[in-house]
Amino acid sequence: MRSSNVTLKSIADRLNVSVTTVSRVLNGKSDRYRISKETQELINTAAKELSYSPNQLARGLRLKRTNTIGYIIPDISNPFFSSIAKNVEKSARKLGYSILLCDSEEDTKIEENLLQLMIDRKVDGLIISPVGLEVNHLRRIAQKNIPIVLLDRYFPELNLPFVTSDNYKGALEAVNMLIEHGHKRIACIQGLVNTSPNNDRVRGYIDAHKTHELSVDKKLIVGDSFGEENGYIETKLLLKQDDPPTALFAVSNLISLGAIRAISEEGLKIPDDISMVSFDDQPYSRFLSTPMTTVSQQNSQIGQIAIKLLIDQIESNRQLEPKGIFLPTRLISRDSVKRNINLGIKAIG
Amino acid sequence: MRSSNVTLKSIADRLNVSVTTVSRVLNGKSDRYRISKETQELINTAAKELSYSPNQLARGLRLKRTNTIGYIIPDISNPFFSSIAKNVEKSARKLGYSILLCDSEEDTKIEENLLQLMIDRKVDGLIISPVGLEVNHLRRIAQKNIPIVLLDRYFPELNLPFVTSDNYKGALEAVNMLIEHGHKRIACIQGLVNTSPNNDRVRGYIDAHKTHELSVDKKLIVGDSFGEENGYIETKLLLKQDDPPTALFAVSNLISLGAIRAISEEGLKIPDDISMVSFDDQPYSRFLSTPMTTVSQQNSQIGQIAIKLLIDQIESNRQLEPKGIFLPTRLISRDSVKRNINLGIKAIG
DNA sequence: ATGAAAGCGCTAACAG
DNA sequence: CTGTTAGCGCTTTCAT
């Protein structure tokens, strides 16, 4: 029951023409094949009347082209990813592509299955924010010459185009600022370890110390996930240390939410008792009980650029010489950082 | 270049058997067709060796079944929708379905096109959070007997299954509480007018007044979109009124963010100068400068139930007797509501 | 226990 | 100016 089934054939039969002709007219190739005005008329009106619409499955099978893009994200409910997803979908749609969306739940195994699933569904290309701990499944894709663009997370050792924020510089700038405000014990609550955004941000954190000839206390680099829970737990522990940090560098928006929870539970105040800066600006960041100083990423550009890169690749039918694109971040100063008076001699700003 | 193309045929040729046999074995129908153990072996190993994986386009064309669900949302970057999307995708994936995701940008025209696009792609069913102002395109779908479930927004006049929060009761409870705290001039900043969640919430707002034999000042019901901007603008205007409200009922999380911005710009404090309660709890709600009293919805259940309902419909191959499911909300009290001392005589809690 | 053939709906090569 | 034919990769009916 469930089908309308107006096909090229049904139109052809009804008008006593061949499916070829119908196909040609309906695909705007009337001129190239010099189809008579009358048959054009006939076919067009019939198609409209029956509200014909081509079966994209059949079309895709024949053409080896589906106009759909596979999109794999580690967590669509994370506002960072969903704001990017918005622009990925929108840009794709404007260029005539649809999005097959899957969530890998930060699980490499799931990601791997999803990848196969998308290949089987014959997507024209892939945008993926990989979990980032394993490369081999991605390398396999690359070898199959399926157009692909990595988003947010990349692999230095892998020759694939990617677009991401300049996480290193963003972190460097943020931690520099903290140090210049007199902080010497700055904790870094990291996300998923060995993931490029994480590594780059931690590297920025460390280099900021080096620049200021400050040693890094390894015990102050903690955590292992981009989630809220991680921020909460690690902050709890940090605050219990013998020599607790005077400032916190939270590597993601969710981490900082967890950190805030822990800090307030301990009856402490930001920035009076502890200063804080967080990666990822969010619409609510400025309205938090202490408006948060953040490192803001260009979420809308990231998605757009990734799609453009990918569709270029698809439509030019050539492998892109793989290049990585780093987008600059912006440090947004609000109220969560205070000069550290204990030792804060060097006045600033 | 771009293809591996291990097909049933290529396996069949290599082993000198028919594609039929290969198909049967690989689909686990060996027993039913009494395929010999040897050929089974042969085929299975060959398939593994070549890492065969069926072309889902071909399969879908033949079977008229794609195991994909079309999902249309008005704004994936809205954390309310993205948290639902998380569970829609996850539940679908667990049951063997993929999600074709599109964003209608709260635009009926786009929504209509998207609907056709999904039908052409032969999705097995549809989950849609419709814009909600127009019904006809949805009615048309219903008539085509394509399984569909409405999410968040529904149409009383339309016989389609839906799942949504009990917006009426949620609003009723919230505004009741405000009134019982002595507020008599409560503004309601609404979302997209004539949309079911909006209408139900506004109705709750009005009925709360009726219950307490309080008249409703129409000038206090303002706004026209679920976005942040709307919250900002309307709050600005409200605060300039001759007899400004002592409390605000914001119909969405984004609206409340806008309202907060306006309130703080005017140098006012929540709840000292104005009380506030907002629909939609978010992870950050408790950390706002004034922890926000909210009406919390069961986002994860909503998505799950919608998918279950839809897949039931798909796999039972029958139209569901369309029923609407309303999920209860929960009022989370925090610090954004204060007893109104001006006239607040009736003490409470 | 296995295969041949038809067909899902479409496009393209070739033919006139 | 139009049509015939083949085929994309798969499943299923009907035969044997």
Side-chain angles (χ1 to χ4, degrees):
Chain A
M1 277 296 75
R2 158 184 312 173
S3 61
S4 50
N5 277 346
V6 183
T7 67
L8 288 186
K9 182 155 190 325
S10 70
I11 298 183
D13 287 353
R14 166 193 255 245
L15 301 178
N16 277 320
V17 294
S18 72
V19 287
T20 312
T21 304
V22 181
S23 167
R24 282 171 178 154
V25 172
L26 262 23
N27 282 306
K29 297 182 180 168
S30 308
D31 284 2
R32 187 168 347 152
Y33 290 96
R34 303 149 165 267
I35 314 270
S36 73
K37 280 278 165 251
E38 302 105 82
T39 29
Q40 285 189 44
E41 262 311 290
L42 240 44
I43 291 174
N44 281 136
T45 50
K48 188 161 295 173
E49 207 172 291
L50 303 171
S51 62
Y52 168 79
S53 197
N55 180 330
Q56 298 297 345
L57 246 36
R59 208 157 205 249
L61 181 60
R62 177 66 232 238
L63 256 27
K64 295 182 175 327
R65 218 160 163 306
T66 55
N67 282 273
T68 103
I69 290 173
Y71 183 27
I72 303 181
I73 317 188
D75 179 11
I76 182 63
S77 71
N78 181 330
F80 169 68
F81 286 115
S82 72
S83 68
I84 291 181
K86 175 88 178 181
N87 291 282
V88 166
E89 193 277 343
K90 189 172 176 180
S91 310
R93 181 156 37 82
K94 290 206 167 148
L95 295 170
Y97 289 78
S98 302
I99 296 293
L100 194 63
L101 174 85
C102 290
D103 190 315
S104 65
E105 305 183 44
E106 292 280 21
D107 179 327
T108 302
K109 198 65 205 156
I110 295 183
E111 177 175 294
E112 208 174 329
N113 294 337
L114 256 23
L115 227 37
Q116 186 60 51
L117 180 149
M118 295 192 153
I119 292 175
D120 295 345
R121 278 175 154 76
K122 304 298 164 194
V123 297
D124 293 336
L126 287 161
I127 302 265
I128 166 163
S129 297
V131 175
L133 302 176
E134 269 286 348
V135 225
N136 291 327
H137 48 137
L138 291 171
R139 183 172 284 136
R140 241 173 290 137
I141 301 295
Q143 282 160 357
K144 284 190 185 166
N145 277 33
I146 298 174
I148 183 170
V149 170
L150 302 184
L151 191 42
D152 182 48
R153 308 188 190 168
Y154 66 96
F155 298 93
E157 73 270 33
L158 209 61
N159 224 13
L160 288 177
F162 63 85
V163 27
T164 183
S165 290
D166 194 336
N167 292 299
Y168 171 75
K169 248 172 123 179
L172 189 71
E173 200 181 343
V175 178
N176 270 161
M177 184 269 284
L178 249 17
I179 295 176
E180 282 156 13
H181 275 70
H183 293 278
K184 294 196 168 10
R185 288 190 62 73
I186 303 168
C188 173
I189 308 186
Q190 44 175 356
L192 195 54
V193 180
N194 282 332
T195 248
S196 70
N198 185 257
N199 279 193
D200 291 350
R201 289 171 199 177
V202 172
R203 198 158 48 82
Y205 164 87
I206 291 174
D207 282 5
H209 284 73
K210 284 193 184 145
T211 308
H212 291 81
E213 294 173 348
L214 229 54
S215 68
V216 173
D217 182 350
K218 293 279 177 195
K219 282 209 298 285
L220 291 181
I221 303 182
V222 297
D224 58 10
S225 127
F226 289 108
E228 196 260 4
E229 197 66 11
N230 177 48
Y232 174 75
I233 294 173
E234 295 302 340
T235 305
K236 277 286 201 185
L237 293 172
L238 282 168
L239 296 177
K240 295 297 182 211
Q241 282 191 193
D242 289 339
D243 189 6
T246 64
L248 225 57
F249 173 51
V251 144
S252 87
N253 68 107
L254 260 24
I255 291 176
S256 67
L257 244 30
I260 294 175
R261 182 153 65 96
I263 291 170
S264 90
E265 264 185 27
E266 297 295 319
L268 301 176
K269 291 260 176 281
I270 306 171
D272 302 302
D273 302 306
I274 188 164
S275 287
M276 185 161 170
V277 31
S278 166
F279 231 91
D280 296 340
D281 192 57
Q282 291 294 333
Y284 59 78
S285 300
R286 53 188 296 194
F287 301 123
L288 292 173
S289 69
T290 303
M292 182 68 61
T293 294
T294 58
V295 180
S296 158
Q297 307 186 52
Q298 299 182 262
N299 291 187
S300 84
Q301 335 292 335
I302 292 184
Q304 241 175 286
I305 294 178
I307 281 291
K308 290 237 171 91
L309 234 48
L310 182 69
I311 292 182
D312 257 22
Q313 224 178 131
I314 292 173
E315 303 197 336
S316 69
N317 218 11
R318 59 180 165 71
Q319 283 283 82
L320 227 53
E321 72 284 27
K323 57 182 162 214
I325 295 184
F326 290 94
L327 298 183
T329 61
R330 196 163 56 88
L331 184 63
I332 302 181
S333 275
R334 291 198 269 249
D335 309 338
S336 61
V337 175
K338 197 190 68 162
R339 201 172 318 281
N340 184 26
I341 42 171
N342 296 332
L343 316 139
I345 298 114
K346 209 189 287 176
I348 270 287
Chain B
M1 277 291 76
R2 159 185 312 174
S3 62
S4 50
N5 277 347
V6 184
T7 67
L8 288 187
K9 184 158 189 319
S10 69
I11 297 183
D13 286 353
R14 165 194 256 247
L15 302 179
N16 276 321
V17 294
S18 73
V19 287
T20 313
T21 305
V22 181
S23 167
R24 281 171 179 154
V25 172
L26 263 23
N27 283 306
K29 298 182 180 167
S30 307
D31 284 1
R32 185 165 354 148
Y33 289 97
R34 304 149 163 267
I35 313 271
S36 72
K37 280 278 166 251
E38 304 104 83
T39 30
Q40 285 189 44
E41 262 312 289
L42 240 47
I43 291 173
N44 280 136
T45 50
K48 189 161 295 175
E49 207 171 292
L50 304 171
S51 63
Y52 168 79
S53 196
N55 180 329
Q56 298 297 344
L57 245 37
R59 207 159 207 248
L61 181 60
R62 177 65 231 242
L63 256 28
K64 294 182 176 329
R65 216 159 165 305
T66 54
N67 280 273
T68 104
I69 290 172
Y71 184 27
I72 303 181
I73 318 188
D75 179 11
I76 183 63
S77 72
N78 181 330
F80 169 68
F81 286 115
S82 73
S83 68
I84 292 181
K86 175 88 177 179
N87 290 282
V88 166
E89 194 277 342
K90 189 172 178 180
S91 311
R93 181 157 36 80
K94 290 207 167 148
L95 295 170
Y97 289 77
S98 303
I99 296 292
L100 194 64
L101 174 86
C102 290
D103 190 315
S104 65
E105 305 184 43
E106 293 280 20
D107 179 328
T108 303
K109 197 66 204 155
I110 295 183
E111 178 175 293
E112 208 173 330
N113 293 336
L114 257 22
L115 227 36
Q116 186 60 52
L117 179 150
M118 295 193 152
I119 291 174
D120 295 345
R121 278 174 153 78
K122 303 300 163 191
V123 298
D124 293 337
L126 287 162
I127 302 263
I128 167 162
S129 297
V131 175
L133 302 178
E134 268 286 348
V135 226
N136 291 328
H137 49 137
L138 291 172
R139 182 172 285 138
R140 243 173 289 138
I141 301 295
Q143 283 161 354
K144 283 190 187 165
N145 277 33
I146 297 174
I148 183 169
V149 171
L150 302 183
L151 192 40
D152 182 49
R153 307 188 191 168
Y154 65 96
F155 299 92
E157 72 270 34
L158 211 59
N159 223 14
L160 287 177
F162 62 85
V163 25
T164 183
S165 290
D166 194 336
N167 291 299
Y168 171 74
K169 247 172 123 180
L172 190 71
E173 199 180 345
V175 178
N176 270 160
M177 184 269 284
L178 248 18
I179 295 176
E180 282 157 12
H181 274 71
H183 292 279
K184 295 196 163 20
R185 287 191 61 73
I186 303 168
C188 173
I189 308 185
Q190 44 175 355
L192 195 53
V193 180
N194 282 333
T195 247
S196 70
N198 184 258
N199 280 195
D200 290 349
R201 290 172 199 174
V202 172
R203 198 158 48 82
Y205 164 89
I206 292 173
D207 281 5
H209 283 73
K210 283 192 185 148
T211 308
H212 291 82
E213 294 174 348
L214 227 55
S215 68
V216 174
D217 182 351
K218 293 279 177 196
K219 281 210 299 285
L220 291 180
I221 303 181
V222 297
D224 57 9
S225 127
F226 289 109
E228 196 261 3
E229 197 66 12
N230 177 48
Y232 174 76
I233 293 173
E234 295 302 341
T235 306
K236 277 285 201 186
L237 293 173
L238 282 168
L239 296 177
K240 295 297 180 209
Q241 283 191 194
D242 289 339
D243 188 6
T246 65
L248 226 56
F249 173 51
V251 144
S252 87
N253 68 107
L254 260 25
I255 291 176
S256 67
L257 244 29
I260 294 175
R261 182 153 66 96
I263 291 169
S264 90
E265 264 185 27
E266 296 295 318
L268 301 177
K269 290 263 176 278
I270 307 171
D272 303 302
D273 301 307
I274 187 163
S275 287
M276 185 161 170
V277 30
S278 167
F279 231 91
D280 296 340
D281 193 57
Q282 291 294 332
Y284 58 78
S285 300
R286 53 189 297 195
F287 301 123
L288 292 172
S289 68
T290 303
M292 181 70 60
T293 293
T294 58
V295 180
S296 159
Q297 307 187 52
Q298 300 182 261
N299 290 187
S300 83
Q301 335 292 335
I302 292 185
Q304 240 174 286
I305 294 178
I307 281 290
K308 291 238 170 89
L309 235 48
L310 183 68
I311 292 183
D312 258 21
Q313 222 177 131
I314 292 173
E315 302 197 336
S316 70
N317 218 10
R318 60 181 165 70
Q319 284 282 82
L320 228 51
E321 73 282 28
K323 57 181 163 217
I325 295 183
F326 290 94
L327 299 182
T329 61
R330 196 163 55 87
L331 183 63
I332 302 181
S333 275
R334 290 196 271 249
D335 310 337
S336 60
V337 175
K338 198 190 67 163
R339 202 172 317 282
N340 185 26
I341 41 170
N342 297 332
L343 318 139
I345 297 115
K346 209 188 287 177
I348 271 286

